Coordinates of all heavy atoms in Angstrom, one line a residue:
V1 N -13.8 -24.1 -176.1 CA -13.5 -25.1 -175.1 C -13.2 -26.4 -175.8 O -14.1 -26.9 -176.5 CB -14.6 -25.2 -174.1 CG1 -14.2 -26.2 -173.0 CG2 -14.9 -23.8 -173.4
E2 N -12.1 -26.9 -175.6 CA -11.6 -28.2 -176.4 C -11.3 -29.2 -175.3 O -10.2 -29.0 -174.6 CB -10.4 -27.8 -177.2 CG -9.9 -28.9 -178.1 CD -8.8 -28.4 -178.9 OE1 -7.6 -28.6 -178.4 OE2 -8.8 -28.0 -180.0
A3 N -12.1 -30.3 -175.2 CA -11.9 -31.4 -174.2 C -11.2 -32.6 -174.8 O -11.5 -32.9 -175.9 CB -13.2 -31.7 -173.5
H4 N -10.2 -33.2 -174.1 CA -9.5 -34.3 -174.5 C -9.6 -35.4 -173.5 O -9.7 -35.1 -172.3 CB -8.0 -33.9 -174.8 CG -7.7 -32.9 -175.8 ND1 -7.3 -33.2 -177.0 CD2 -8.0 -31.6 -175.7 CE1 -7.2 -32.1 -177.7 NE2 -7.6 -31.0 -176.9
T5 N -9.4 -36.6 -173.9 CA -9.4 -37.8 -173.0 C -8.3 -38.7 -173.2 O -7.5 -38.5 -174.2 CB -10.7 -38.7 -173.2 OG1 -10.7 -39.4 -174.4 CG2 -12.0 -37.8 -173.1
D6 N -8.0 -39.6 -172.3 CA -7.0 -40.7 -172.7 C -7.7 -41.8 -173.5 O -8.9 -41.8 -173.7 CB -6.4 -41.2 -171.4 CG -7.4 -41.8 -170.4 OD1 -8.4 -42.4 -170.9 OD2 -7.2 -41.9 -169.2
P7 N -6.9 -42.9 -173.9 CA -7.6 -43.9 -174.7 C -8.3 -45.0 -173.9 O -8.8 -46.0 -174.5 CB -6.4 -44.4 -175.5 CG -5.3 -44.2 -174.5 CD -5.5 -43.0 -173.9
V8 N -8.3 -44.8 -172.6 CA -9.1 -45.9 -171.8 C -10.6 -46.0 -172.2 O -11.2 -44.9 -172.3 CB -8.9 -45.7 -170.3 CG1 -9.8 -46.7 -169.6 CG2 -7.5 -45.7 -169.9
P9 N -11.1 -47.1 -172.7 CA -12.5 -47.1 -173.2 C -13.5 -46.6 -172.1 O -13.3 -46.9 -170.9 CB -12.8 -48.6 -173.5 CG -11.4 -49.3 -173.7 CD -10.4 -48.4 -172.8
Y10 N -14.5 -45.8 -172.5 CA -15.4 -45.3 -171.7 C -16.9 -45.7 -172.2 O -17.2 -45.5 -173.4 CB -15.3 -43.8 -171.7 CG -16.3 -43.1 -170.7 CD1 -16.0 -42.9 -169.4 CD2 -17.6 -42.6 -171.2 CE1 -16.9 -42.2 -168.6 CE2 -18.4 -42.0 -170.4 CZ -18.1 -41.8 -169.0 OH -19.0 -41.1 -168.1
N11 N -17.8 -46.1 -171.3 CA -19.1 -46.5 -171.6 C -20.0 -46.5 -170.4 O -20.1 -47.5 -169.7 CB -19.2 -47.8 -172.3 CG -20.5 -48.2 -172.8 OD1 -21.5 -47.5 -172.5 ND2 -20.6 -49.3 -173.5
K12 N -20.6 -45.3 -170.1 CA -21.4 -45.1 -169.0 C -22.7 -44.4 -169.6 O -22.6 -43.1 -169.8 CB -20.8 -44.3 -167.9 CG -19.7 -45.0 -167.2 CD -19.1 -44.1 -166.0 CE -17.9 -44.9 -165.3 NZ -17.3 -44.2 -164.2
P13 N -23.7 -45.1 -169.8 CA -25.0 -44.5 -170.4 C -25.3 -43.3 -169.5 O -25.2 -43.2 -168.3 CB -26.0 -45.6 -170.3 CG -25.2 -46.9 -170.2 CD -23.8 -46.5 -169.4
P14 N -25.8 -42.2 -170.3 CA -26.1 -42.3 -171.7 C -24.9 -42.1 -172.6 O -25.0 -42.1 -173.9 CB -27.1 -41.1 -171.9 CG -26.5 -40.2 -170.8 CD -26.1 -40.9 -169.7
L15 N -23.7 -41.9 -172.1 CA -22.5 -41.8 -172.9 C -21.9 -43.1 -173.3 O -22.0 -44.0 -172.4 CB -21.4 -40.9 -172.2 CG -21.9 -39.6 -171.6 CD1 -20.7 -38.9 -171.1 CD2 -22.6 -38.7 -172.7
I16 N -21.5 -43.2 -174.5 CA -21.1 -44.6 -175.0 C -19.6 -44.6 -175.3 O -19.0 -45.8 -175.4 CB -21.8 -44.9 -176.2 CG1 -21.5 -44.0 -177.4 CG2 -23.3 -45.0 -175.9 CD1 -22.1 -44.5 -178.7
D17 N -18.9 -43.6 -175.4 CA -17.4 -43.6 -175.7 C -16.7 -42.3 -175.3 O -17.3 -41.4 -174.8 CB -17.2 -44.1 -177.1 CG -17.8 -43.0 -178.1 OD1 -18.1 -41.9 -177.7 OD2 -17.9 -43.4 -179.3
N18 N -15.4 -42.3 -175.7 CA -14.6 -41.1 -175.3 C -15.1 -39.9 -176.1 O -14.8 -38.8 -175.7 CB -13.2 -41.4 -175.5 CG -12.6 -42.2 -174.4 OD1 -12.9 -42.0 -173.2 ND2 -11.7 -43.2 -174.8
W19 N -15.6 -40.1 -177.3 CA -16.2 -38.9 -178.1 C -17.2 -38.3 -177.2 O -17.2 -37.1 -177.1 CB -16.6 -39.4 -179.4 CG -15.7 -39.5 -180.5 CD1 -15.3 -40.7 -181.1 CD2 -14.9 -38.5 -181.1 NE1 -14.3 -40.5 -182.1 CE2 -14.1 -39.2 -182.1 CE3 -14.8 -37.2 -180.9 CZ2 -13.2 -38.5 -182.9 CZ3 -13.9 -36.5 -181.7 CH2 -13.0 -37.0 -182.7
D20 N -18.1 -39.0 -176.8 CA -19.2 -38.5 -176.0 C -18.7 -37.8 -174.8 O -19.2 -36.7 -174.4 CB -20.2 -39.6 -175.6 CG -21.2 -40.0 -176.7 OD1 -21.2 -39.3 -177.8 OD2 -22.0 -40.9 -176.5
L21 N -17.8 -38.4 -174.1 CA -17.4 -37.9 -172.8 C -16.6 -36.5 -173.1 O -16.8 -35.5 -172.4 CB -16.3 -38.8 -172.2 CG -15.6 -38.3 -170.9 CD1 -16.7 -38.1 -169.8 CD2 -14.7 -39.4 -170.4
S22 N -15.8 -36.4 -174.1 CA -15.0 -35.2 -174.4 C -16.0 -34.1 -174.8 O -15.9 -33.0 -174.3 CB -14.0 -35.4 -175.5 OG -14.5 -35.8 -176.8
V23 N -17.0 -34.4 -175.6 CA -18.0 -33.3 -176.0 C -18.8 -32.9 -174.8 O -19.0 -31.7 -174.6 CB -18.9 -33.9 -177.1 CG1 -20.0 -32.9 -177.4 CG2 -18.1 -34.2 -178.4
K24 N -19.1 -33.8 -174.0 CA -20.0 -33.5 -172.8 C -19.2 -32.6 -171.8 O -19.7 -31.7 -171.3 CB -20.5 -34.8 -172.1 CG -21.5 -34.5 -171.0 CD -22.8 -34.0 -171.7 CE -23.9 -33.9 -170.6 NZ -25.1 -33.1 -171.1
R25 N -17.9 -32.9 -171.7 CA -17.1 -32.1 -170.8 C -16.9 -30.7 -171.4 O -16.9 -29.7 -170.6 CB -15.7 -32.8 -170.6 CG -15.7 -33.9 -169.6 CD -14.4 -34.6 -169.4 NE -14.4 -35.5 -168.3 CZ -13.4 -36.1 -167.8 NH1 -12.2 -36.1 -168.5 NH2 -13.5 -37.0 -166.8
A26 N -16.7 -30.6 -172.7 CA -16.6 -29.3 -173.3 C -17.9 -28.5 -173.0 O -17.8 -27.2 -172.8 CB -16.3 -29.4 -174.8
T27 N -19.1 -29.0 -173.3 CA -20.3 -28.3 -173.1 C -20.5 -28.0 -171.7 O -21.1 -27.0 -171.3 CB -21.5 -29.2 -173.7 OG1 -21.5 -30.4 -173.0 CG2 -21.3 -29.3 -175.2
S28 N -20.1 -28.8 -170.8 CA -20.2 -28.4 -169.3 C -19.4 -27.3 -168.9 O -19.9 -26.4 -168.2 CB -19.7 -29.6 -168.4 OG -20.6 -30.8 -168.6
V29 N -18.2 -27.1 -169.5 CA -17.4 -25.9 -169.2 C -18.0 -24.7 -169.9 O -18.1 -23.6 -169.3 CB -15.9 -26.1 -169.7 CG1 -15.2 -24.9 -169.6 CG2 -15.2 -27.3 -168.9
V30 N -18.5 -24.9 -171.1 CA -19.2 -23.8 -171.8 C -20.4 -23.3 -171.0 O -20.6 -22.0 -170.8 CB -19.7 -24.3 -173.2 CG1 -20.7 -23.3 -173.7 CG2 -18.5 -24.3 -174.2
R31 N -21.2 -24.1 -170.3 CA -22.2 -23.7 -169.6 C -21.8 -23.0 -168.3 O -22.5 -21.9 -167.9 CB -23.2 -24.9 -169.2 CG -23.9 -25.5 -170.4 CD -25.0 -26.4 -170.0 NE -25.8 -26.8 -171.1 CZ -25.6 -27.9 -171.9 NH1 -24.5 -28.7 -171.6 NH2 -26.3 -28.2 -172.9

């Protein structure tokens, strides 16, 4: 499962950027 985002900055704790968001989305689909 490979998640991608757009370049709009993301920062909603506990996630701090688009890297965190893309990884979290990938693990959510995996689950």
Side-chain angles (χ1 to χ4, degrees):
V1 179
E2 183 183 87
H4 299 256
T5 70
D6 61 26
V8 177
Y10 182 87
N11 185 353
K12 291 182 180 180
L15 309 184
I16 63 173
D17 58 15
N18 284 322
W19 277 114
D20 280 354
L21 179 60
S22 64
V23 172
K24 192 63 177 176
R25 284 182 169 181
T27 55
S28 295
V29 173
V30 163
R31 289 193 173 93

